[in-house]
Amino acid sequence: MRPTLRISCRSILSRPALASIVITAALHTGSAWAVEPFKLVDIRVEGLQRSDAGTVFASLPFRIGDTYTDEKGVAALRALFATGLFKDVRLQIDGSVVVVVVDERSVIGSIDFVGLKEFEKDALIKALKDFGVSEGQPFDKALADRAEQELKRQYLSRSLYGVEVVSTVTPQERNRVNVTFNVTEGSVAKIKEIRVVGNSAFSESTLKGLFDLDEGGWLSFYTKADRYSRAKLNADLETLRAYYLNRGYLEFNVESTQVAISPDKQDITITVNVKEGQLYTVTAVKLDGQYLAKEDEFKSLVTIKPGEPYRAESVAETTKAFVEKFGTFGYAFARVDARPDIDRVNGRVELTMFAEPQRRVYVRRISVAGNARTRDEVVRREFRQFESSWYDGRKIKLSRDRVDRLGYFSDVNIDTNEVPGTADQVDLVITIKEKPTGNLLLGAGFSSADKVSLTASIKQENVFGTGNYLGLEFNTSKSSRTIVLSTIDPYYTIDGISRAFDFYYRTSTPLNSQGEDYKLVTPGASVRFGVPFSEFDTVFFGIGFERTEIQGRDNLPDSYFRYREQFGPTSTAVPLTIGWTRDQRDSALVPTQGRYQRVNVDIGIAGDQRYIRTNLQFQEYFTPFRRLTLGVNAELGYGKGLGGRPYPIFKNFFGGGLGTVRGFDQGSLGQVDNLGAYIGGNRRLNINTELYLPLPGTGNDRTLRWFTYVDVGNVWAVGDDLTFDSLRASVGLGFSWISPVGPLKISYGAPFKKQPTDRIQRLQFQIGTAF
């Protein structure tokens, strides 16, 4: 009779090194523990409650009929513990039978939290899952303790330093446990004081003004800037360092930072110790290294100015410009170093721009990543860098900008990867982050006349991921209603010629009329083609047909009455459209730099209406200071009758409100006829200026900003003089948000150049409008 031998090990998962020692000791410390090899007759498993016996058998390195050895026993123990299902495993040898005795780990049945206020439960459950603590997973006390520490860390990041987290484990049937984390959050610790020590060139208040962290203010409830965060402090220290380096303090250094918390864990004091060093002036900039015999071209890119204080920003700009210049010649991995030669005695520094172009490479392959919905071809057709051609950094940047201007993506990045095993090949990966392109846009305005005006549209700018546009717009108010169905194919031909169809139905009643027994009804349709003549220039050609009917007779404004008497209640037009656009903005959605220009001319070539209507628009965006964007928009419209016929009153320009001069009622500027109707005019001028600033606490988030504006403009009828006194102007504040349903803009304006008869509408908002 073979004697019974037990080999066991406990808690191997939590202490693997100890387990290995125990197993080794058990099998090698004497012959009393050794088992002579024998042929297995049977294998039994004992102690299972939830786990399947097949899981155990699948982990064993032996089967019935195999020869059992000590080495296989050790391997079996390790394999079973590696499953993570057992906290204890024993092998018992009973004659020619191996009995596997297991003690299963408890499984987490549920996870709950008590006392949560600062975090959402789902967010914490997701965070704990990364630590292996989740429903259905084996319970491990060590992991639960780590989960407690992780929860505390999350709270510390929110300045809740008094938080207490205690986990409670409640056994349940079938070897399950419920884990409950009892949280006592306590009060938020706030920054009481920030001190900067060691500064002399700039005042402490100036330096503290650079920080996102502050000592609290009236917006702290929203910005939470008075809550300490190590990441925020590090960012503020980098901002402080950049401030000094851009003002000549080349050797500036943050010596140390101390963060102290009061005994009651409610107040935090931050002390930043700095060493300014002396002020350095640039005396010369030299070029050294390999510049491909194009030194003059590179010298023209230098923005560092001798005789002025050292500016790290200019050095970085010059370095970046040099690297990009090398990229246009195919040198994707060029190295450019700015090497300072410091004269501490006289406070001078001489800079040497050392360049190593490395090797010239060509692009092997271009890949698109991140497009779950948009087709590859929609992105690829915007690329100007081609596969199997020399790397060109300028074309790659242009390609990135073109993809970004599509407006389908919230983020566009291009990475350059070396091809393993080659010295002259790279792959480009353009990674995009898709944003919702199917939008329900809503807008509204308030006035004493129209009360509430509504704007709504359903648009899909990227139908089925093809890049095509399909939209239905609906505008309604007391005085007008418009329905427009539009579709655009931006690549009607492979060369990039676009085609667009518009079908519309408009009804309108001029504002301030003496009655509502009449209206203008205009159904129509048009088709237009856009031909790209360069990377930024597109010329449009189109033709359409529309029919305008003056319905009703009572209280008809005089201007419309005379037009109907002359041409009848119904008139038709066949307008020919010619246009040109140039778009050099860095983004179509939230531009910060660049220029946009547009010219559009409509000519009535057939039908009852013969006219020419011209509209010119110019936009320019600047970044005068860090995180500030200045936008200027100018628009000029002019219309005139042709062939001896008067200019159709239906084609008049209107002004006032969003898109023109804010603070005035929508469409209320311009000529007023003898019955009090606002009928617009054949000439219009708008000049809009907006200064965008980030909301406090939002960093450099361009999707959420507030702005100030100044609008100037008016509308003039035939015979009116365009004078300075006739202009209208307003100033105001606004809020801009790229919301999930489209760009939202709210503005509150105060007209400061107006007439007593003007209609004022101070509060206006709309989703999906620009200036």
Side-chain angles (χ1 to χ4, degrees):
M1 183 75 177
R2 186 181 299 277
T4 299
L5 177 64
R6 297 181 181 181
I7 303 175
S8 69
C9 186
R10 184 178 295 272
S11 302
I12 282 187
L13 279 181
S14 58
R15 303 178 66 183
L18 178 59
S20 178
I21 294 173
V22 171
I23 293 171
T24 303
L27 297 175
H28 295 87
T29 55
S31 59
W33 293 99
V35 176
E36 293 295 331
F38 64 91
K39 185 177 181 180
L40 273 172
V41 175
D42 193 13
I43 301 173
R44 298 201 307 268
V45 180
E46 297 178 357
L48 290 178
Q49 297 184 51
R50 291 172 297 92
S51 300
D52 184 66
T55 303
V56 176
F57 287 122
S59 302
L60 298 178
F62 45 75
R63 300 288 183 269
I64 295 175
D66 292 349
T67 299
Y68 177 86
T69 64
D70 290 337
E71 291 75 13
K72 290 183 179 181
V74 173
L77 288 172
R78 287 174 174 164
L80 288 171
F81 274 110
T83 64
L85 299 175
F86 312 109
K87 58 183 177 182
D88 188 26
V89 179
R90 300 191 305 275
L91 296 183
Q92 298 179 359
I93 310 302
D94 186 6
S96 298
V97 178
V98 172
V99 181
V100 182
V101 182
V102 298
D103 185 4
E104 289 184 321
R105 289 181 179 273
S106 299
V107 170
I108 299 175
S110 66
I111 298 176
D112 199 7
F113 300 88
V114 177
L116 284 185
K117 296 178 182 178
E118 187 71 16
F119 293 95
E120 294 291 335
K121 176 180 176 181
D122 292 342
L124 292 182
I125 287 179
K126 183 178 180 181
L128 292 181
K129 189 174 182 180
D130 296 336
F131 281 82
V133 180
S134 63
E135 294 182 6
Q137 293 294 320
F139 174 75
D140 188 316
K141 186 61 172 68
L143 288 178
D145 293 340
R146 287 181 58 195
E148 286 185 16
Q149 298 304 314
E150 171 61 16
L151 289 176
K152 289 182 180 180
R153 191 187 67 80
Q154 294 286 345
Y155 275 96
L156 294 180
S157 69
R158 300 284 183 93
S159 294
L160 288 159
Y161 290 91
V163 66
E164 294 182 2
V165 181
V166 178
S167 61
T168 303
V169 181
T170 306
Q172 302 292 319
E173 61 182 7
R174 298 190 64 222
N175 201 25
R176 294 177 178 269
V177 295
N178 292 343
V179 182
T180 302
F181 293 93
N182 297 278
V183 181
T184 304
E185 294 186 341
S187 301
V188 175
K190 297 183 179 180
I191 298 174
K192 182 180 180 181
E193 183 182 15
I194 299 177
R195 299 182 57 208
V196 180
V197 180
N199 58 299
S200 59
F202 307 102
S203 67
E204 185 179 34
S205 60
T206 298
L207 300 180
K208 287 164 59 176
L210 301 173
F211 291 2
D212 283 336
L213 293 175
D214 61 35
E215 297 160 354
W218 66 278
L219 270 178
S220 295
F221 74 94
Y222 171 74
T223 65
K224 295 181 174 55
D226 59 348
R227 294 193 182 187
Y228 170 76
S229 165
R230 186 65 200 180
K232 286 185 178 180
L233 179 59
N234 290 337
D236 286 341
L237 295 180
E238 288 303 315
T239 301
L240 180 65
R241 183 176 288 105
Y243 185 82
Y244 271 94
L245 292 178
N246 284 326
R247 284 158 180 80
Y249 294 87
L250 178 59
E251 296 178 311
F252 170 82
N253 186 44
V254 177
E255 297 287 293
S256 63
T257 58
Q258 290 91 39
V259 180
I261 188 168
S262 62
D264 61 359
K265 298 183 179 181
Q266 296 299 300
D267 299 323
I268 295 176
T269 301
I270 301 174
T271 304
V272 180
N273 299 284
V274 302
K275 182 179 179 182
E276 292 182 331
Q278 62 176 316
L279 180 68
Y280 286 97
T281 301
V282 178
T283 57
V285 180
K286 298 180 180 179
L287 269 60
D288 191 14
Q290 300 295 322
Y291 282 92
L292 312 178
K294 300 180 184 295
E295 283 79 0
D296 291 340
E297 294 184 31
F298 282 91
K299 287 180 181 179
S300 66
L301 302 175
V302 176
T303 59
I304 307 167
K305 297 180 180 180
E308 293 187 0
Y310 174 90
R311 293 182 68 249
E313 192 174 75
S314 295
V315 174
E317 289 176 356
T318 301
T319 302
K320 181 181 178 182
F322 278 21
V323 171
E324 291 179 350
K325 187 68 175 178
F326 278 114
T328 63
F329 300 119
Y331 297 92
F333 305 104
R335 296 179 181 176
V336 179
D337 296 323
R339 300 177 178 177
D341 184 7
I342 299 176
D343 180 0
R344 292 181 174 83
V345 175
N346 299 304
R348 298 175 181 176
V349 59
E350 182 179 283
L351 289 172
T352 300
M353 306 300 295
F354 184 81
E356 293 181 278
Q358 303 295 322
R359 60 192 183 278
R360 194 180 186 191
V361 299
Y362 69 89
V363 177
R364 183 188 70 163
R365 182 181 298 120
I366 299 175
S367 303
V368 182
N371 54 322
R373 184 170 182 273
T374 305
R375 300 178 185 178
D376 275 16
E377 63 174 322
V378 174
V379 177
R380 288 181 176 276
R381 64 194 184 191
E382 302 299 330
F383 256 71
R384 295 302 176 261
Q385 169 70 59
F386 300 113
E387 296 178 340
S388 301
S389 63
W390 287 116
Y391 177 99
D392 191 327
R394 178 178 50 198
K395 291 182 179 180
I396 293 173
K397 182 179 183 301
L398 175 62
S399 301
R400 196 214 73 84
D401 291 344
R402 287 179 62 89
V403 173
D404 191 26
R405 282 199 297 267
L406 289 174
Y408 309 153
F409 315 113
S410 59
D411 191 27
V412 179
N413 291 299
I414 296 180
D415 297 317
T416 302
N417 302 321
E418 295 185 65
V419 177
T422 66
D424 60 349
Q425 298 180 37
V426 296
D427 289 338
L428 299 181
V429 179
I430 177 167
T431 304
I432 57 180
K433 184 178 180 181
E434 294 181 316
K435 69 180 185 68
T437 56
N439 296 330
L440 172 63
L441 308 183
L442 304 173
F446 301 90
S447 70
S448 58
D450 277 353
K451 303 302 180 185
V452 179
S453 57
L454 302 175
T455 300
S457 65
I458 300 175
K459 298 180 180 179
Q460 177 52 263
E461 299 179 358
N462 187 15
V463 178
F464 306 121
T466 62
N468 295 344
Y469 168 88
L470 180 64
L472 176 65
E473 299 183 34
F474 175 77
N475 303 279
T476 182
S477 68
K478 181 180 177 181
S479 59
S480 66
R481 178 174 297 172
T482 303
I483 301 176
V484 181
L485 175 64
S486 302
T487 177
I488 303 173
D489 182 353
Y491 275 80
Y492 176 62
T493 69
I494 195 173
D495 297 321
I497 296 178
S498 64
R499 182 191 64 186
F501 289 106
D502 293 313
F503 304 92
Y504 52 88
Y505 183 88
R506 293 194 297 264
T507 65
S508 62
T509 302
L511 289 175
N512 202 32
S513 62
Q514 300 300 310
E516 300 179 358
D517 298 328
Y518 76 95
K519 59 182 177 181
L520 309 177
V521 180
T522 307
S526 65
V527 59
R528 64 184 183 276
F529 297 89
V531 182
F533 278 75
S534 72
E535 294 297 338
F536 305 104
D537 298 274
T538 302
V539 176
F540 296 93
F541 305 93
I543 192 169
F545 175 84
E546 62 183 22
R547 175 179 176 272
T548 303
E549 180 182 1
I550 304 176
Q551 296 182 354
R553 287 185 172 273
D554 297 336
N555 299 314
L556 189 66
D558 183 62
S559 52
Y560 291 91
F561 177 80
R562 287 187 282 107
Y563 191 92
R564 187 173 67 178
E565 289 298 309
Q566 183 176 0
F567 299 101
T570 302
S571 61
T572 59
V574 180
L576 176 66
T577 300
I578 302 174
W580 165 78
T581 62
R582 171 177 289 179
D583 192 352
Q584 296 173 292
R585 297 172 296 178
D586 59 350
S587 173
L589 200 60
V590 283
T592 59
Q593 290 183 341
R595 178 178 298 174
Y596 174 80
Q597 301 167 79
R598 178 177 65 89
V599 176
N600 192 80
V601 180
D602 290 337
I603 304 174
I605 59 174
D608 303 319
Q609 304 171 30
R610 302 296 177 91
Y611 64 92
I612 181 171
R613 190 176 190 270
T614 304
N615 199 70
L616 293 83
Q617 185 178 15
F618 175 88
Q619 290 182 4
E620 185 84 32
Y621 292 89
F622 311 88
T623 306
F625 302 103
R626 187 175 69 95
R627 297 167 61 183
L628 300 183
T629 299
L630 176 65
V632 178
N633 176 73
E635 192 170 1
L636 178 64
Y638 176 77
K640 181 182 179 180
L642 300 177
R645 301 190 183 190
Y647 182 70
I649 193 170
F650 327 115
K651 298 297 180 181
N652 274 354
F653 297 95
F654 288 87
L658 292 167
T660 56
V661 185
R662 286 161 287 193
F664 293 88
D665 203 355
Q666 198 78 28
S668 65
L669 298 182
Q671 187 181 38
V672 182
D673 75 357
N674 55 7
L675 292 180
Y678 290 84
I679 60 175
N682 71 318
R683 289 167 292 167
R684 179 175 67 180
L685 172 66
N686 296 320
I687 300 176
N688 315 98
T689 306
E690 290 185 349
L691 178 64
Y692 285 92
L693 304 95
L695 283 174
T698 61
N700 199 30
D701 184 3
R702 293 189 298 165
T703 65
L704 187 63
R705 302 179 293 177
W706 68 280
F707 62 89
T708 62
Y709 73 83
V710 177
D711 291 345
V712 179
N714 205 350
V715 176
W716 295 267
V718 177
D720 291 346
D721 294 330
L722 198 162
T723 63
F724 177 79
D725 292 336
S726 65
L727 290 172
R728 302 291 190 270
S730 67
V731 63
L733 297 171
F735 169 82
S736 174
W737 176 38
I738 308 301
S739 74
V741 295
L744 167 66
K745 185 172 288 188
I746 303 174
S747 63
Y748 182 86
F752 63 88
K753 198 172 187 304
K754 58 184 178 179
Q755 295 298 326
T757 57
D758 291 337
R759 296 169 56 162
I760 308 302
Q761 188 185 58
R762 298 184 184 276
L763 178 64
Q764 297 167 323
F765 74 89
Q766 187 168 348
I767 299 180
T769 187
F771 275 93

